[in-house]
Amino acid sequence: LLLAVFLLAGCRGQSSYLETFEAPGKWRVGTDADAIGQVANGVYDLTVTADDVIIWTTAGETFGDGIYEVDATQVAGPLNNGYGLLFRLDNEKDDFYLFKISGDGYVWIGRYRGGGAGEAQPLIGQWWFESTAVQQGLNRTNRLKVQAEGGNMIFYVNGQEVGRVTDDAFKRGDVGLMVETLGLGGVQVQFDNVSVTPLGE
């Protein structure tokens, strides 16, 4: 897969984090040949125009253990896609855990290692798997949540557990939002209420 990255540097301690996108803040906005990322009307609006590409944007922060959450709503484009949350991202190596859903009701949970062409490895199932927890179609909001404690991670869509795994490849890093096109471009997703809550709060 081709990769395009909106990067920001920064670090953060273990206090609570909440982004409601009333202003761009540290999140990068802009337009290039593959995507348009903007903050408007209280959401981060990411449109991927290119075919077969993953685009992500990050908070420019550093987190470890915690509960990661985001609301994601696809508003345009083909439902054969991927969109969701990445966490424990190393912005220099492009290594991260990835939790994404599709507009047609599938889930993918795994990790990505950057460098060269990059390599995606599912941690649950063989690749994508179908889940009734996903609200399918356009203008349907899905809430993604990950509870990460050390190598133990539990994944939820709309409050329903869709998988759990133990993996200690990545321990700390940035949090981000991503959209992936799988054949056809024009996928537009709006993200809101990105939060990271330390465990125990």
Side-chain angles (χ1 to χ4, degrees):
L1 292 174
L2 298 174
L3 293 177
V5 188
F6 300 143
L7 294 177
L8 283 171
C11 61
R12 184 178 182 85
Q14 286 299 295
S15 58
S16 295
Y17 174 86
L18 174 64
E19 179 59 80
T20 58
F21 298 111
E22 300 308 314
K26 291 184 178 181
W27 294 80
R28 180 68 60 85
V29 296
T31 302
D32 64 17
D34 295 327
I36 303 167
Q38 61 182 336
V39 173
N41 301 315
V43 298
Y44 191 100
D45 190 306
L46 182 55
T47 301
V48 178
T49 56
D51 302 336
D52 293 311
V53 66
I54 296 176
I55 304 290
W56 70 77
T57 180
T58 61
E61 307 284 356
T62 299
F63 303 98
D65 292 351
I67 297 173
Y68 297 75
E69 297 180 88
V70 65
D71 292 327
T73 307
Q74 183 185 352
V75 297
L79 300 183
N80 181 27
N81 58 43
Y83 60 92
L85 182 69
L86 51 88
F87 62 102
R88 294 184 178 174
L89 181 145
D90 184 323
N91 281 314
E92 294 183 359
K93 297 180 180 178
D94 288 344
D95 293 343
F96 50 82
Y97 289 111
L98 177 56
F99 177 29
K100 58 186 175 179
I101 61 175
S102 70
D104 55 358
Y106 288 79
V107 177
W108 194 95
I109 296 169
R111 62 178 179 230
Y112 184 90
R113 292 188 182 275
E119 179 184 3
Q121 178 181 358
L123 295 175
I124 296 177
Q126 296 299 310
W127 203 246
W128 291 91
F129 59 90
E130 195 168 7
S131 174
T132 58
V134 179
Q135 297 288 329
Q136 299 183 40
L138 301 180
N139 301 306
R140 304 295 298 274
T141 298
N142 287 282
R143 185 159 186 83
L144 278 62
K145 173 182 173 181
V146 181
Q147 179 176 318
E149 183 174 9
N152 299 313
M153 293 169 280
I154 308 173
F155 300 83
Y156 303 86
V157 176
N158 300 317
Q160 180 176 326
E161 183 179 330
V162 294
R164 59 177 63 201
V165 67
T166 299
D167 186 86
D168 60 359
F170 314 132
K171 295 180 173 59
R172 295 179 60 81
D174 210 345
V175 63
L177 311 170
M178 58 74 62
V179 173
E180 175 183 17
T181 54
L182 298 171
L184 291 175
V187 177
Q188 180 183 8
V189 180
Q190 295 178 343
F191 298 93
D192 199 6
N193 302 314
V194 179
S195 66
V196 183
T197 306
L199 297 174
E201 283 196 6

